[in-house]
Amino acid sequence: MNNVASILLLIFLAISFLQSGYDKLFYWKDNVDWLKDHFAKTQLRNHVPLALANVLVLELISGVLCIVGCIELLVNNGRVFGFYGALFSCITLLMLLFGQRLAKDYDGARTIVIYFIPAVMAVYWLN
């Protein structure tokens, strides 16, 4: 098992994004309502459903790629899917960070950084 750290990071990212995607998918209205209030004083106020749909798609892509990346690492030490899973995770987190900063939710933005660090580590290790 040469790839234990990479596999653990990919599992972490997969759990994070698939659970978040699940929440958005099955509690769509609650999420839209909360985010409309959250972004009420920003340029995103009229685009919340579209922005949420974009984030949902990226979260699901990130999570699935991370799962496939784990399998690929275990089966043949391949790094392609894991790398792209980590990369999509970073892109998704940067979008979320941008939204939190736009909404002036600095505590929320700070929380995203906690997820961003392991995602960047995974990109680096799988590159």
Side-chain angles (χ1 to χ4, degrees):
M1 289 287 275
N2 297 332
N3 302 306
V4 174
S6 295
I7 290 169
L8 290 172
L9 284 174
L10 289 172
I11 291 170
F12 169 79
L13 293 170
I15 290 169
S16 299
F17 286 115
L18 292 175
Q19 185 281 324
S20 183
Y22 171 88
D23 183 62
K24 286 173 182 61
L25 198 58
F26 291 98
Y27 302 97
W28 178 263
K29 186 181 177 333
D30 295 336
N31 279 284
V32 169
D33 291 344
W34 185 84
L35 289 169
K36 279 185 178 180
D37 183 54
H38 191 66
F39 290 107
K41 296 178 184 175
T42 73
Q43 298 90 326
L44 290 177
R45 71 183 159 274
N46 297 323
H47 307 286
V48 168
L50 179 61
L52 187 62
N54 286 330
V55 170
L56 169 62
V57 168
L58 283 172
E59 286 180 340
L60 294 176
I61 290 170
S62 300
V64 169
L65 285 172
C66 287
I67 292 290
V68 174
C70 285
I71 295 166
E72 183 185 31
L73 275 169
L74 289 168
V75 170
N76 65 8
N77 285 326
R79 296 172 173 267
V80 174
F81 286 97
F83 170 76
Y84 283 108
L87 185 62
F88 269 84
S89 296
C90 287
I91 292 166
T92 304
L93 289 164
L94 288 171
M95 288 178 62
L96 293 170
L97 177 69
F98 177 76
Q100 295 295 60
R101 298 289 299 188
L102 196 62
K104 297 187 182 350
D105 181 358
Y106 301 114
D107 286 334
R110 192 175 9 250
T111 300
I112 291 168
V113 173
I114 294 168
Y115 291 89
F116 189 67
I117 293 167
V120 170
M121 287 173 55
V123 168
Y124 179 76
W125 285 345
L126 294 166
N127 190 12

